[in-house]
Amino acid sequence: MPFVMHLSSIGESLGEFMSKDIICSKEDINVDSTLSSVSSSSSTPIPFSVLDPNHPMIGEDLKRKILHGRYNKQLIVDGIETGNFSLDLSGKIHMRTNLTFSSFLGFVLESYCVDEINKNKDVLLTNILRWATGIRLSKEKVKEYFAIGTGFKSTRDQYQRYYNPQDNIDILFLRSLGELNGYEPAIEKGTTNSAGVQVKAITTNLNEQIIQPLLEGKYCKVLTLLKYPNGKHTYDQCMEMIREQYLKGKITQESYNRLQGSIISPSYIGLDQITIDNYVQYISYWYSGQASSNNPHLENAVGLEIQGFKNKNGILVPSDA
């Protein structure tokens, strides 16, 4: 039997958006610790972020609030990491970039992927590193490595040798050499080439931006993140395009097989596609709200307050760190 949360337990602000009850299934409660903790108490305030932003009962205004609750801090961290945001001493974020939304989205999602990979070495790092290297590394061996973004601020500051924003590899995998006080990258099987991944957050020009660069050797591995509005994933579209080129004799059997193994979607390594879709929606909301500035380069302070973060030696960290 579903659990019914009354508005009194969610907070008065939700009353503007929804009817008197929100229904959660037992499955929702069992998999979400926040819901589980409040299921026995109607007086516990429930944050916006625990609600499903894609539920048909959720209106557009409430959806924005839910996504803000889930992804605001993540966007701040990713924006600073990619150099598109800066943090001033008063605790406000400034956006300084002339990037289009598509380019901005790509950088932010690249940072998000690296963060998620490093937080989950048992699953995400293991899967992506085995795929990138072509070697079935043990989980113990995998734990020696960590992912970096070749164009990230933290890479420039901490791993300068591997900082290269123009590199054809977006995500690289390093391990410490211990006493030598250096690092070395993971290597592709049977080569001396660094194993890395190009991240794509696009829905157009897949042949020119993904397939052809792979055929030409510009890229070795591509993680394509986005879906179309109709729900079809760009990975599936790439597979169809590759198959069509093969059937028309435009590529060889060898190239066809290689391409099939060189492109993956987030689910292949264990990244949650729904979370990515929701984050993309929030980034779109946020960017659209700031893009109306009269300044063509969006250099004005956007006035985003940082809640729960502080500036420590130029790095954004949680206040309780």
Side-chain angles (χ1 to χ4, degrees), residues 76 79-80 83-88 91-96 306:
I76 290 171
I80 289 177
N84 291 292
F85 292 172
S86 63
L87 175 65
D88 67 24
K92 291 184 181 293
I93 289 294
H94 298 257
M95 180 177 179
R96 295 184 175 89
I306 300 178

Side-chain angles (χ1 to χ4, degrees), residues 174-212:
L174 301 181
R175 68 172 178 173
S176 173
L177 295 178
E179 294 180 359
L180 295 178
N181 198 27
Y183 299 88
E184 69 174 6
I187 302 299
E188 293 178 8
K189 182 179 180 180
T191 76
T192 57
N193 301 327
S194 297
V197 178
Q198 176 76 16
V199 179
K200 290 294 183 181
I202 58 175
T203 55
T204 59
N205 302 319
L206 301 184
N207 185 61
E208 294 78 8
Q209 295 293 319
I210 296 178
I211 298 173
Q212 288 304 314

Side-chain angles (χ1 to χ4, degrees), residues 49-317:
S49 58
V50 306
L51 302 177
D52 179 2
N54 302 305
H55 193 282
M57 290 181 64
I58 299 292
E60 192 69 14
D61 287 340
L62 180 54
K63 181 175 184 178
R64 289 172 185 260
K65 287 180 176 289
I66 295 169
L67 294 176
H68 179 83
R70 288 189 181 186
Y71 301 111
N72 181 48
K73 291 181 180 179
Q74 182 70 52
L75 179 56
I76 290 171
V77 172
D78 291 337
I80 289 177
E81 177 65 282
T82 56
N84 291 292
F85 292 172
S86 63
L87 175 65
D88 67 24
L89 296 177
S90 65
K92 291 184 181 293
I93 289 294
H94 298 257
M95 180 177 179
R96 295 184 175 89
T97 180
N98 58 0
L99 294 175
T100 62
F101 171 71
S102 178
S103 297
F104 177 71
L105 176 66
F107 281 124
V108 169
L109 290 182
E110 182 183 328
S111 174
Y112 169 78
C113 288
V114 169
D115 187 42
E116 290 297 301
I117 289 167
N118 285 328
K119 286 192 297 189
N120 190 345
K121 290 193 173 187
D122 282 342
V123 177
L124 301 184
L125 181 60
T126 296
N127 290 338
I128 197 169
L129 189 56
R130 287 175 175 176
W131 171 66
T133 60
I135 304 170
R136 189 167 180 79
L137 300 166
S138 68
K139 288 196 173 184
E140 290 304 312
K141 191 70 174 178
V142 167
K143 289 179 180 178
E144 296 179 10
Y145 290 90
F146 57 93
I148 64 166
T150 55
F152 289 0
K153 180 180 181 297
S154 61
T155 301
R156 183 191 65 197
D157 296 341
Q158 301 175 48
Y159 316 105
Q160 191 171 23
R161 176 182 174 185
Y162 300 101
Y163 177 70
N164 186 357
Q166 282 73 50
D167 202 329
N168 291 326
I169 292 176
D170 289 329
I171 300 177
L172 196 64
F173 308 97
L174 301 181
R175 68 172 178 173
S176 173
L177 295 178
E179 294 180 359
L180 295 178
N181 198 27
Y183 299 88
E184 69 174 6
I187 302 299
E188 293 178 8
K189 182 179 180 180
T191 76
T192 57
N193 301 327
S194 297
V197 178
Q198 176 76 16
V199 179
K200 290 294 183 181
I202 58 175
T203 55
T204 59
N205 302 319
L206 301 184
N207 185 61
E208 294 78 8
Q209 295 293 319
I210 296 178
I211 298 173
Q212 288 304 314
L214 283 168
L215 286 172
E216 295 165 4
K218 181 179 179 181
Y219 303 152
C220 291
K221 303 289 184 182
V222 173
L223 168 62
T224 181
L225 299 173
L226 302 187
K227 294 195 307 186
Y228 296 100
N230 65 5
K232 185 175 184 178
H233 203 284
T234 47
Y235 165 81
D236 296 311
Q237 181 64 26
C238 283
M239 292 300 106
E240 290 182 9
M241 294 171 68
I242 292 167
R243 178 172 175 76
E244 181 180 357
Q245 290 186 26
Y246 171 64
L247 292 176
K248 290 183 177 180
K250 294 183 178 181
I251 59 175
T252 64
Q253 175 80 56
E254 181 183 1
S255 294
Y256 176 56
N257 293 338
R258 180 166 58 84
L259 286 171
Q260 283 188 310
S262 299
I263 306 171
I264 59 169
S265 66
S267 61
Y268 181 91
I269 64 170
L271 277 170
D272 182 61
Q273 185 67 51
I274 294 177
T275 300
I276 291 174
D277 296 343
N278 288 337
Y279 192 25
V280 169
Q281 181 73 81
Y282 176 68
I283 297 168
S284 176
Y285 283 151
W286 186 90
Y287 186 93
S288 298
Q290 305 309 320
S292 59
S293 169
N294 292 328
N295 189 313
H297 298 295
L298 304 176
E299 292 179 346
N300 293 331
V302 300
L304 289 178
E305 297 292 342
I306 300 178
Q307 299 178 358
F309 287 86
K310 64 182 178 182
N311 191 347
K312 184 177 181 181
N313 300 324
I315 300 174
L316 193 69
V317 297

